[in-house]
Amino acid sequence: MAIFKSETGKIMRTATLTKPVFINSIIINSIAVVLIYFIPALSHLLNFPLYLIEPMRLMLVIAMVHSNKQNAFLLALTLPLFSFAISAHPVFYKMLLISAELTLNVWLYYALLKTFKNNFTALLSSILISKVAYYILKAVLIYTLLLEPGLFSTPVWIQLLTSLVFSAYAFVILRRKN
């Protein structure tokens, strides 16, 4: 982040990206878009429901670990929208829920990282808290008939397992970086 004074004397801040971070962001975003685009076809081809591994959160964690906060926020907001735009899945209200959940996940991760000073704990906590918020909001939308019944489409044990795997990945990679 660069800090300088404008002509009026006001302090200005600008975000700067290093070339490797910029290139990583482009690569990660490209892979994310292609992955989200082809998930339905790959699921049919493999005869396995790939949504169980939470591909959007996977790409979000990869972005948080290998690029920067701004890119993670960009993916959190746009991946569900992109998926909705190309396949009408998830349905509109669920797309909004997923965007909110992923955005909350990113925000909590960076906020909790300052508190815990441990990326495993920060990421796991941010995932679990954002999931709780997601399910509370989803229950409200089901109750108000904006979503069809069925609170859990992915078994909780699978969600806990993927959360642990994603958090362990971040821990190992970021530990090596430091």
Side-chain angles (χ1 to χ4, degrees):
M1 172 140 336
I3 300 174
F4 62 92
K5 285 189 177 183
S6 70
E7 293 174 9
T8 61
K10 184 176 178 183
I11 294 179
M12 306 291 286
R13 296 169 197 232
T14 60
T16 56
L17 287 176
T18 62
K19 191 173 183 178
V21 170
F22 180 72
I23 291 170
N24 282 353
S25 296
I26 289 174
I27 291 169
I28 290 166
N29 294 0
S30 300
I31 291 170
V33 166
V34 169
L35 179 69
I36 298 307
Y37 186 80
F38 285 110
I39 282 289
L42 288 172
S43 290
H44 290 296
L45 183 67
L46 299 172
N47 199 22
F48 178 78
L50 289 173
Y51 71 87
L52 293 176
I53 62 167
E54 297 188 72
M56 288 188 204
R57 188 175 322 275
L58 171 63
M59 294 311 305
L60 188 66
V61 169
I62 289 171
M64 288 189 288
V65 170
H66 297 286
S67 66
N68 59 22
K69 184 187 332 186
Q70 292 80 9
N71 192 50
F73 275 116
L74 176 69
L75 286 177
L77 290 167
T78 59
L79 281 180
L81 179 63
F82 176 75
S83 181
F84 176 76
I86 63 161
S87 67
H89 185 78
V91 295
F92 180 74
Y93 290 109
K94 194 168 181 184
M95 179 265 303
L96 293 176
L97 277 175
I98 294 169
S99 288
E101 176 194 6
L102 295 178
T103 303
L104 178 61
N105 190 166
V106 174
W107 181 81
L108 282 171
Y109 171 69
Y110 288 105
L112 293 173
L113 191 57
K114 293 174 187 171
T115 303
F116 292 130
K117 307 283 189 234
N118 177 305
N119 58 53
F120 177 85
T121 306
L123 186 57
L124 184 60
S125 299
S126 69
I127 291 171
L128 296 177
I129 293 168
S130 64
K131 281 182 177 291
V132 168
Y134 169 84
Y135 283 113
I136 290 170
L137 291 173
K138 187 176 181 185
V140 169
L141 291 179
I142 290 170
Y143 180 76
T144 58
L145 302 176
L146 293 172
L147 284 178
E148 293 191 17
L151 191 58
F152 296 99
S153 55
T154 302
V156 173
W157 72 270
I158 292 176
Q159 294 183 57
L160 289 172
L161 181 63
T162 57
S163 299
L164 286 169
V165 169
F166 295 159
S167 300
Y169 172 79
F171 178 75
V172 169
I173 297 300
L174 292 174
R175 190 168 158 198
R176 286 185 187 164
K177 283 185 177 181
N178 297 333

